[in-house]
Amino acid sequence: MTDIEATVDTGGALLQQLLADAAGAARPWGDAPLSQRAGAIRAVADALDAAVDELVPLADEESHLGTGRLTGELGRTTFQLRLFAEVLDDGGYLDATLDSADPDWPPGPRADLRRMLTPLGPVVVFAASNFPFAFSVAGG
């Protein structure tokens, strides 16, 4: 049995530790500059593309979905990751709004108001076994 074939029980204490680690990483990741986060996502896509010859046969061994389908799925996944990086580069998803202060606002002076969406924290992913790349940790 290879290391990859070994199973790990993620219940109990290990699960609690993994959740705590994810929660601890959420703030630094969310506070990182958008360009840094986009670069990290592109690096993941590049690493997945570079490992296609290792990943696809492994996924086929586990799923029996066929190397052609899995190669296409991996390509679609890395394409999506790069699209997510573009969304980070654009920043429009933050829905940032700015209402500048206006002391002469007709109903009364208006304060300087700023608003934008912020990350909430970690997300648990339940992967689909019939889409090991596209609907998994890396996929959409």
Side-chain angles (χ1 to χ4, degrees), residues 31-115:
D31 288 345
L34 298 181
S35 61
Q36 181 181 343
R37 290 163 44 194
I41 291 173
R42 284 188 185 95
V44 169
D46 292 345
L48 288 170
D49 282 340
V52 66
D53 292 337
E54 180 183 352
L55 294 173
V56 167
L58 178 62
D60 185 46
E61 182 182 324
E62 293 179 358
S63 67
H64 303 285
L65 293 173
T67 58
R69 179 182 183 275
L70 291 164
T71 300
E73 182 183 335
L74 183 59
R76 184 174 67 245
T77 300
T78 58
F79 175 79
Q80 287 176 329
L81 288 171
R82 290 183 180 96
L83 283 178
F84 295 154
E86 286 179 26
V87 168
L88 285 168
D89 287 334
D90 174 70
Y93 76 97
L94 295 169
D95 196 25
T97 59
L98 169 64
D99 287 328
S100 297
D102 186 351
D104 299 322
W105 189 249
R110 181 177 67 196
D112 183 55
L113 301 173
R114 298 164 190 246
R115 178 184 63 108

Side-chain angles (χ1 to χ4, degrees), residues 8 10-11 15 21 24 26 29 32 35 40 48 75 78 87 98 100 102 108 111 120-121 124 126:
V8 177
T10 54
L15 178 59
D21 290 347
W29 176 252
S35 61
L48 288 170
T78 58
V87 168
L98 169 64
S100 297
D102 186 351
L120 293 176
V124 176
F126 295 92

